[in-house]
Amino acid sequence: MRIVRHHEYGPSKVLVTEEAERPAYGPEDVLVRAEAIGVDHADVQRRLGTFPLGPPPLPHCPSTDVVGTVVAAGDRVRDVAPGQRVVVWKARNAYAEYVAAPAAHLLPLPGGLDPAEGTLLGSTGRVAVHLLRTARVAEGETVLVHAGAGAIGHIAVQAARALGAARVIATAGSPAKRDFVLSLGADAAVDHTAPDWPERAAEAAGPGGVDVVLDGIGGRQLLDDVKLLAPYGRLVFYGASGGDTAQPSLPVLSLMGMRQVMGFSMPTLLGARPDEAAEGVRLLLRFVQDGSVRPVVHARVPLAEAARAHDLLEERRSMGRVVLVP
């Protein structure tokens, strides 16, 4: 089979297409022929060697969401059969024509979704819904979603509305992206590249302030987000593309206004509270099936052109998700 990986850190051209044996699978695993492979910003960071948790060992092939058809199943697999189309959560060595994964990491591909759209039911869609659940979004509240045009953000904008938010504000760095988030139902779109973006977000929120902030960027932005929170507001932090240190310092006294800052990690949720994780998946599926949430695919890129897919993300040109097609 073909597989894409990199043997060094660096620009997108370090990604190379190679030949490899199909992956082995164990008694509780399945072998899936890939039809669509999600591409994430974390893939770009790992390729560059700048991932906040450290660079991956080399050679490296990303682990990401895959949609495909089961071609074989291990002896202990009972609820999945060859021929079934499935969504695989965070498959290892995913930039490939075939992936092996635990049967427990599968979700049947819902009718009405094509494989590329289905990749958003893996980690990205689940993260979006769980962020809002972690924040305990309630009817009538105001929600601020950073990077609202991204794979996670564009799902979160729609899911916030489905959960009853009265006002949804999204940040986006270009006019096209701001138009995109407005088309998804956001009430306001703020240019996060402008120095006065916090003032613009505060104006969009109105006198009640922001009840919930979803922040996958961190760094200096985290400080501004805390200041935007209304009393009893909640900030959920889930990424550090802007750095893992908030400088100059976190305004801790502002937290005494009954404001909360919470971290989120999908692996932690799956390990510590699997029932809660499963409930979030059911909610995401319901939103997709009733039309409240519409997964958007920005581009379908051939597997052998993975470098081009990475460029779309690294250059901040994508809206929705970028997908590789074997």
Short mmCIF file of all heavy atoms in Angstrom, two decimals, residues 216-269:
data_model
loop_
_atom_site.label_atom_id
_atom_site.label_comp_id
_atom_site.label_asym_id
_atom_site.label_seq_id
_atom_site.Cartn_x
_atom_site.Cartn_y
_atom_site.Cartn_z
N GLY A 216 -8.57 27.58 21.59
CA GLY A 216 -7.60 26.57 21.21
C GLY A 216 -6.27 27.18 20.85
O GLY A 216 -5.44 26.52 20.20
N ILE A 217 -6.04 28.41 21.26
CA ILE A 217 -4.84 29.13 20.86
C ILE A 217 -3.91 29.39 22.03
O ILE A 217 -2.71 29.14 21.98
CB ILE A 217 -5.22 30.47 20.17
CG1 ILE A 217 -6.05 30.16 18.91
CG2 ILE A 217 -3.97 31.29 19.82
CD1 ILE A 217 -6.66 31.35 18.24
N GLY A 218 -4.44 29.88 23.15
CA GLY A 218 -3.62 30.11 24.33
C GLY A 218 -2.72 31.32 24.20
O GLY A 218 -3.02 32.26 23.48
N GLY A 219 -1.58 31.26 24.90
CA GLY A 219 -0.66 32.37 24.86
C GLY A 219 -1.31 33.65 25.37
O GLY A 219 -2.13 33.63 26.30
N ARG A 220 -0.96 34.77 24.77
CA ARG A 220 -1.48 36.07 25.18
C ARG A 220 -3.00 36.12 25.07
O ARG A 220 -3.68 36.79 25.86
CB ARG A 220 -0.84 37.14 24.29
CG ARG A 220 -1.50 38.50 24.37
CD ARG A 220 -1.22 39.20 25.67
NE ARG A 220 -2.23 40.21 25.97
CZ ARG A 220 -2.08 41.16 26.88
NH1 ARG A 220 -0.95 41.25 27.55
NH2 ARG A 220 -3.04 42.02 27.11
N GLN A 221 -3.56 35.41 24.08
CA GLN A 221 -4.99 35.47 23.87
C GLN A 221 -5.77 35.01 25.09
O GLN A 221 -6.86 35.50 25.37
CB GLN A 221 -5.38 34.63 22.66
CG GLN A 221 -6.88 34.63 22.37
CD GLN A 221 -7.22 33.93 21.09
OE1 GLN A 221 -6.97 34.44 20.01
NE2 GLN A 221 -7.77 32.73 21.20
N LEU A 222 -5.22 34.05 25.82
CA LEU A 222 -5.92 33.53 27.00
C LEU A 222 -6.21 34.64 28.00
O LEU A 222 -7.26 34.67 28.64
CB LEU A 222 -5.07 32.43 27.65
CG LEU A 222 -5.71 31.67 28.81
CD1 LEU A 222 -6.86 30.82 28.30
CD2 LEU A 222 -4.69 30.78 29.50
N LEU A 223 -5.28 35.58 28.14
CA LEU A 223 -5.47 36.69 29.07
C LEU A 223 -6.62 37.58 28.63
O LEU A 223 -7.45 37.99 29.44
CB LEU A 223 -4.18 37.52 29.17
CG LEU A 223 -2.89 36.75 29.43
CD1 LEU A 223 -1.71 37.71 29.52
CD2 LEU A 223 -3.00 35.92 30.70
N ASP A 224 -6.67 37.88 27.34
CA ASP A 224 -7.77 38.69 26.83
C ASP A 224 -9.10 37.98 26.98
O ASP A 224 -10.13 38.61 27.28
CB ASP A 224 -7.52 39.03 25.35
CG ASP A 224 -6.33 39.94 25.15
OD1 ASP A 224 -6.12 40.85 25.98
OD2 ASP A 224 -5.59 39.74 24.17
N ASP A 225 -9.11 36.67 26.78
CA ASP A 225 -10.35 35.91 26.92
C ASP A 225 -10.89 35.97 28.33
O ASP A 225 -12.10 36.12 28.55
CB ASP A 225 -10.10 34.45 26.53
CG ASP A 225 -9.93 34.26 25.03
OD1 ASP A 225 -10.39 35.12 24.27
OD2 ASP A 225 -9.34 33.24 24.64
N VAL A 226 -10.01 35.84 29.32
CA VAL A 226 -10.46 35.88 30.71
C VAL A 226 -11.11 37.23 31.01
O VAL A 226 -12.15 37.30 31.68
CB VAL A 226 -9.28 35.62 31.66
CG1 VAL A 226 -9.67 35.91 33.11
CG2 VAL A 226 -8.81 34.18 31.54
N LYS A 227 -10.53 38.29 30.49
CA LYS A 227 -11.08 39.63 30.73
C LYS A 227 -12.44 39.82 30.07
O LYS A 227 -13.23 40.66 30.51
CB LYS A 227 -10.10 40.68 30.22
CG LYS A 227 -8.78 40.71 30.99
CD LYS A 227 -7.78 41.66 30.36
CE LYS A 227 -6.44 41.61 31.06
NZ LYS A 227 -5.43 42.49 30.40
N LEU A 228 -12.72 39.07 29.01
CA LEU A 228 -14.01 39.19 28.33
C LEU A 228 -15.14 38.47 29.06
O LEU A 228 -16.31 38.74 28.81
CB LEU A 228 -13.90 38.62 26.91
CG LEU A 228 -13.22 39.48 25.86
CD1 LEU A 228 -12.96 38.67 24.59
CD2 LEU A 228 -14.07 40.70 25.53
N LEU A 229 -14.79 37.55 29.95
CA LEU A 229 -15.82 36.73 30.59
C LEU A 229 -16.73 37.55 31.49
O LEU A 229 -16.28 38.39 32.28
CB LEU A 229 -15.17 35.62 31.42
CG LEU A 229 -14.54 34.46 30.66
CD1 LEU A 229 -13.84 33.52 31.65
CD2 LEU A 229 -15.58 33.70 29.85
N ALA A 230 -18.03 37.27 31.38
CA ALA A 230 -19.01 37.84 32.30
C ALA A 230 -18.90 37.13 33.64
O ALA A 230 -18.28 36.06 33.75
CB ALA A 230 -20.41 37.65 31.72
N PRO A 231 -19.47 37.69 34.70
CA PRO A 231 -19.53 36.95 35.96
C PRO A 231 -20.16 35.57 35.74
O PRO A 231 -21.14 35.45 35.01
CB PRO A 231 -20.41 37.85 36.84
CG PRO A 231 -20.17 39.23 36.31
CD PRO A 231 -20.04 39.04 34.82
N TYR A 232 -19.57 34.58 36.34
CA TYR A 232 -19.97 33.18 36.17
C TYR A 232 -19.64 32.65 34.77
O TYR A 232 -20.11 31.58 34.39
CB TYR A 232 -21.46 32.97 36.49
CG TYR A 232 -21.78 33.17 37.95
CD1 TYR A 232 -22.17 34.42 38.42
CD2 TYR A 232 -21.69 32.12 38.85
CE1 TYR A 232 -22.46 34.62 39.76
CE2 TYR A 232 -21.98 32.30 40.19
CZ TYR A 232 -22.36 33.56 40.64
OH TYR A 232 -22.61 33.76 41.97
N GLY A 233 -18.83 33.38 34.03
CA GLY A 233 -18.43 32.92 32.71
C GLY A 233 -17.42 31.78 32.79
O GLY A 233 -16.72 31.61 33.80
N ARG A 234 -17.33 30.99 31.69
CA ARG A 234 -16.45 29.82 31.66
C ARG A 234 -15.60 29.85 30.41
O ARG A 234 -16.12 30.05 29.30
CB ARG A 234 -17.25 28.51 31.67
CG ARG A 234 -17.95 28.19 32.98
CD ARG A 234 -19.33 28.82 33.04
NE ARG A 234 -20.26 28.25 32.08
CZ ARG A 234 -21.39 28.86 31.69
NH1 ARG A 234 -21.73 30.06 32.15
NH2 ARG A 234 -22.18 28.27 30.82
N LEU A 235 -14.31 29.65 30.57
CA LEU A 235 -13.38 29.55 29.45
C LEU A 235 -12.86 28.12 29.39
O LEU A 235 -12.38 27.59 30.39
CB LEU A 235 -12.22 30.53 29.63
CG LEU A 235 -11.20 30.66 28.48
CD1 LEU A 235 -10.51 32.02 28.57
CD2 LEU A 235 -10.13 29.56 28.51
N VAL A 236 -12.96 27.50 28.22
CA VAL A 236 -12.44 26.14 28.04
C VAL A 236 -11.25 26.22 27.08
O VAL A 236 -11.38 26.68 25.95
CB VAL A 236 -13.51 25.18 27.49
CG1 VAL A 236 -12.93 23.77 27.39
CG2 VAL A 236 -14.74 25.17 28.40
N PHE A 237 -10.11 25.78 27.57
CA PHE A 237 -8.85 25.85 26.84
C PHE A 237 -8.51 24.45 26.32
O PHE A 237 -8.52 23.48 27.07
CB PHE A 237 -7.76 26.35 27.80
CG PHE A 237 -6.37 26.28 27.25
CD1 PHE A 237 -5.96 27.14 26.25
CD2 PHE A 237 -5.46 25.35 27.73
CE1 PHE A 237 -4.67 27.09 25.75
CE2 PHE A 237 -4.17 25.29 27.24
CZ PHE A 237 -3.78 26.16 26.24
N TYR A 238 -8.23 24.34 25.00
CA TYR A 238 -8.01 23.01 24.44
C TYR A 238 -6.86 22.93 23.46
O TYR A 238 -6.69 21.92 22.77
CB TYR A 238 -9.30 22.51 23.77
CG TYR A 238 -9.72 23.28 22.54
CD1 TYR A 238 -9.42 22.82 21.26
CD2 TYR A 238 -10.43 24.48 22.65
CE1 TYR A 238 -9.81 23.52 20.13
CE2 TYR A 238 -10.82 25.18 21.52
CZ TYR A 238 -10.51 24.70 20.28
OH TYR A 238 -10.90 25.38 19.15
N GLY A 239 -6.02 23.96 23.38
CA GLY A 239 -4.89 23.93 22.45
C GLY A 239 -3.95 25.07 22.74
O GLY A 239 -4.30 26.02 23.43
N ALA A 240 -2.74 24.97 22.18
CA ALA A 240 -1.72 25.97 22.49
C ALA A 240 -0.96 26.41 21.25
O ALA A 240 0.26 26.53 21.28
CB ALA A 240 -0.75 25.41 23.54
N SER A 241 -1.69 26.66 20.15
CA SER A 241 -1.00 27.09 18.95
C SER A 241 -0.36 28.46 19.12
O SER A 241 0.57 28.82 18.40
CB SER A 241 -1.98 27.13 17.76
OG SER A 241 -3.03 28.04 17.99
N GLY A 242 -0.82 29.22 20.11
CA GLY A 242 -0.23 30.53 20.39
C GLY A 242 0.80 30.50 21.49
O GLY A 242 1.28 31.55 21.92
N GLY A 243 1.15 29.31 21.96
CA GLY A 243 2.14 29.19 23.03
C GLY A 243 1.53 28.60 24.28
O GLY A 243 0.32 28.73 24.53
N ASP A 244 2.35 27.91 25.09
CA ASP A 244 1.83 27.26 26.28
C ASP A 244 1.99 28.09 27.54
O ASP A 244 1.74 27.62 28.66
CB ASP A 244 2.50 25.89 26.48
CG ASP A 244 4.00 26.01 26.76
OD1 ASP A 244 4.54 27.13 26.67
OD2 ASP A 244 4.62 24.97 27.05
N THR A 245 2.39 29.37 27.40
CA THR A 245 2.54 30.25 28.54
C THR A 245 1.77 31.53 28.28
O THR A 245 1.91 32.15 27.23
CB THR A 245 4.02 30.60 28.80
OG1 THR A 245 4.74 29.39 28.98
CG2 THR A 245 4.16 31.46 30.03
N ALA A 246 0.94 31.93 29.25
CA ALA A 246 0.19 33.17 29.13
C ALA A 246 1.03 34.30 29.69
O ALA A 246 1.29 34.35 30.90
CB ALA A 246 -1.14 33.05 29.88
N GLN A 247 1.46 35.19 28.82
CA GLN A 247 2.29 36.32 29.24
C GLN A 247 1.55 37.63 28.98
O GLN A 247 0.81 37.74 28.01
CB GLN A 247 3.63 36.31 28.46
CG GLN A 247 4.52 35.13 28.77
CD GLN A 247 5.10 35.17 30.17
OE1 GLN A 247 5.02 36.19 30.85
NE2 GLN A 247 5.65 34.05 30.60
N PRO A 248 1.65 38.67 29.84
CA PRO A 248 2.59 38.72 30.96
C PRO A 248 2.19 37.88 32.16
O PRO A 248 3.04 37.31 32.84
CB PRO A 248 2.62 40.21 31.31
CG PRO A 248 1.28 40.72 30.86
CD PRO A 248 0.96 39.94 29.62
N SER A 249 0.90 37.79 32.49
CA SER A 249 0.47 36.94 33.59
C SER A 249 -1.04 36.81 33.55
O SER A 249 -1.75 37.67 33.02
CB SER A 249 0.91 37.51 34.95
OG SER A 249 0.32 38.78 35.18
N LEU A 250 -1.54 35.73 34.11
CA LEU A 250 -2.97 35.51 34.16
C LEU A 250 -3.57 36.43 35.22
O LEU A 250 -3.11 36.45 36.37
CB LEU A 250 -3.28 34.05 34.51
CG LEU A 250 -4.75 33.65 34.56
CD1 LEU A 250 -5.35 33.71 33.17
CD2 LEU A 250 -4.91 32.26 35.15
N PRO A 251 -4.60 37.21 34.88
CA PRO A 251 -5.20 38.12 35.86
C PRO A 251 -6.07 37.35 36.86
O PRO A 251 -7.30 37.29 36.75
CB PRO A 251 -6.04 39.05 34.98
CG PRO A 251 -6.41 38.23 33.80
CD PRO A 251 -5.23 37.31 33.56
N VAL A 252 -5.40 36.75 37.83
CA VAL A 252 -6.10 35.84 38.73
C VAL A 252 -7.20 36.52 39.54
O VAL A 252 -8.21 35.89 39.89
CB VAL A 252 -5.11 35.11 39.66
CG1 VAL A 252 -4.23 34.17 38.88
CG2 VAL A 252 -4.25 36.12 40.43
N LEU A 253 -7.04 37.80 39.85
CA LEU A 253 -8.08 38.47 40.63
C LEU A 253 -9.40 38.53 39.87
O LEU A 253 -10.47 38.53 40.47
CB LEU A 253 -7.63 39.88 41.02
CG LEU A 253 -6.53 39.96 42.09
CD1 LEU A 253 -6.17 41.41 42.37
CD2 LEU A 253 -7.01 39.29 43.38
N SER A 254 -9.32 38.55 38.53
CA SER A 254 -10.55 38.60 37.74
C SER A 254 -11.35 37.31 37.90
O SER A 254 -12.56 37.30 37.68
CB SER A 254 -10.24 38.86 36.27
OG SER A 254 -9.58 37.75 35.69
N LEU A 255 -10.68 36.22 38.28
CA LEU A 255 -11.40 34.95 38.47
C LEU A 255 -12.31 35.01 39.69
O LEU A 255 -13.22 34.19 39.83
CB LEU A 255 -10.40 33.80 38.63
CG LEU A 255 -9.45 33.56 37.45
CD1 LEU A 255 -8.52 32.39 37.75
CD2 LEU A 255 -10.21 33.32 36.16
N MET A 256 -12.06 35.98 40.58
CA MET A 256 -12.89 36.09 41.78
C MET A 256 -14.29 36.57 41.46
O MET A 256 -15.17 36.57 42.31
CB MET A 256 -12.22 37.01 42.80
CG MET A 256 -10.90 36.45 43.32
SD MET A 256 -10.05 37.54 44.46
CE MET A 256 -11.17 37.48 45.87
N GLY A 257 -14.51 36.98 40.20
CA GLY A 257 -15.86 37.32 39.76
C GLY A 257 -16.64 36.09 39.36
O GLY A 257 -17.51 36.15 38.50
N MET A 258 -16.30 34.95 39.99
CA MET A 258 -16.96 33.67 39.74
C MET A 258 -16.73 33.20 38.30
O MET A 258 -17.57 32.56 37.69
CB MET A 258 -18.46 33.73 40.05
CG MET A 258 -18.78 34.13 41.48
SD MET A 258 -18.04 33.01 42.70
CE MET A 258 -19.04 31.55 42.47
N ARG A 259 -15.56 33.55 37.75
CA ARG A 259 -15.19 33.09 36.41
C ARG A 259 -14.35 31.82 36.53
O ARG A 259 -13.60 31.65 37.48
CB ARG A 259 -14.42 34.19 35.68
CG ARG A 259 -15.23 35.48 35.50
CD ARG A 259 -14.39 36.61 34.97
NE ARG A 259 -15.18 37.83 34.80
CZ ARG A 259 -15.36 38.75 35.74
NH1 ARG A 259 -14.78 38.60 36.93
NH2 ARG A 259 -16.10 39.81 35.50
N GLN A 260 -14.44 30.97 35.52
CA GLN A 260 -13.74 29.70 35.56
C GLN A 260 -12.90 29.51 34.30
O GLN A 260 -13.34 29.87 33.20
CB GLN A 260 -14.72 28.53 35.66
CG GLN A 260 -15.61 28.55 36.89
CD GLN A 260 -16.60 27.41 36.87
OE1 GLN A 260 -16.24 26.27 36.63
NE2 GLN A 260 -17.87 27.71 37.12
N VAL A 261 -11.70 28.93 34.47
CA VAL A 261 -10.86 28.53 33.35
C VAL A 261 -10.67 27.03 33.44
O VAL A 261 -10.18 26.52 34.46
CB VAL A 261 -9.50 29.25 33.38
CG1 VAL A 261 -8.61 28.75 32.24
CG2 VAL A 261 -9.69 30.76 33.27
N MET A 262 -11.04 26.31 32.39
CA MET A 262 -10.98 24.84 32.40
C MET A 262 -10.18 24.35 31.19
O MET A 262 -10.24 24.94 30.12
CB MET A 262 -12.39 24.24 32.35
CG MET A 262 -13.26 24.60 33.53
SD MET A 262 -15.00 24.13 33.28
CE MET A 262 -15.58 25.52 32.30
N GLY A 263 -9.46 23.27 31.38
CA GLY A 263 -8.76 22.63 30.28
C GLY A 263 -9.54 21.44 29.77
O GLY A 263 -10.36 20.86 30.49
N PHE A 264 -9.30 21.07 28.51
CA PHE A 264 -10.00 19.92 27.92
C PHE A 264 -9.02 19.08 27.14
O PHE A 264 -8.18 19.60 26.40
CB PHE A 264 -11.13 20.37 27.00
CG PHE A 264 -11.80 19.22 26.30
CD1 PHE A 264 -12.80 18.51 26.94
CD2 PHE A 264 -11.41 18.83 25.03
CE1 PHE A 264 -13.40 17.42 26.31
CE2 PHE A 264 -12.00 17.75 24.40
CZ PHE A 264 -13.00 17.04 25.05
N SER A 265 -9.16 17.76 27.26
CA SER A 265 -8.36 16.80 26.49
C SER A 265 -9.25 15.61 26.17
O SER A 265 -9.80 14.97 27.08
CB SER A 265 -7.14 16.34 27.30
OG SER A 265 -6.61 15.15 26.77
N MET A 266 -9.39 15.30 24.88
CA MET A 266 -10.21 14.17 24.49
C MET A 266 -9.67 12.85 25.03
O MET A 266 -10.44 12.02 25.54
CB MET A 266 -10.36 14.11 22.97
CG MET A 266 -11.21 12.95 22.47
SD MET A 266 -12.92 13.00 23.04
CE MET A 266 -13.60 14.21 21.91
N PRO A 267 -8.35 12.58 24.94
CA PRO A 267 -7.86 11.32 25.52
C PRO A 267 -8.16 11.19 27.01
O PRO A 267 -8.49 10.10 27.49
CB PRO A 267 -6.35 11.39 25.26
CG PRO A 267 -6.22 12.26 24.05
CD PRO A 267 -7.28 13.30 24.21
N THR A 268 -8.08 12.30 27.76
CA THR A 268 -8.40 12.25 29.18
C THR A 268 -9.86 11.92 29.40
O THR A 268 -10.22 11.10 30.25
CB THR A 268 -8.06 13.59 29.85
OG1 THR A 268 -6.67 13.87 29.68
CG2 THR A 268 -8.39 13.55 31.34
N LEU A 269 -10.74 12.56 28.61
CA LEU A 269 -12.17 12.28 28.74
C LEU A 269 -12.47 10.83 28.43
O LEU A 269 -13.21 10.16 29.17
CB LEU A 269 -12.95 13.20 27.79
CG LEU A 269 -14.46 12.97 27.76
CD1 LEU A 269 -15.09 13.35 29.09
CD2 LEU A 269 -15.10 13.80 26.64
#
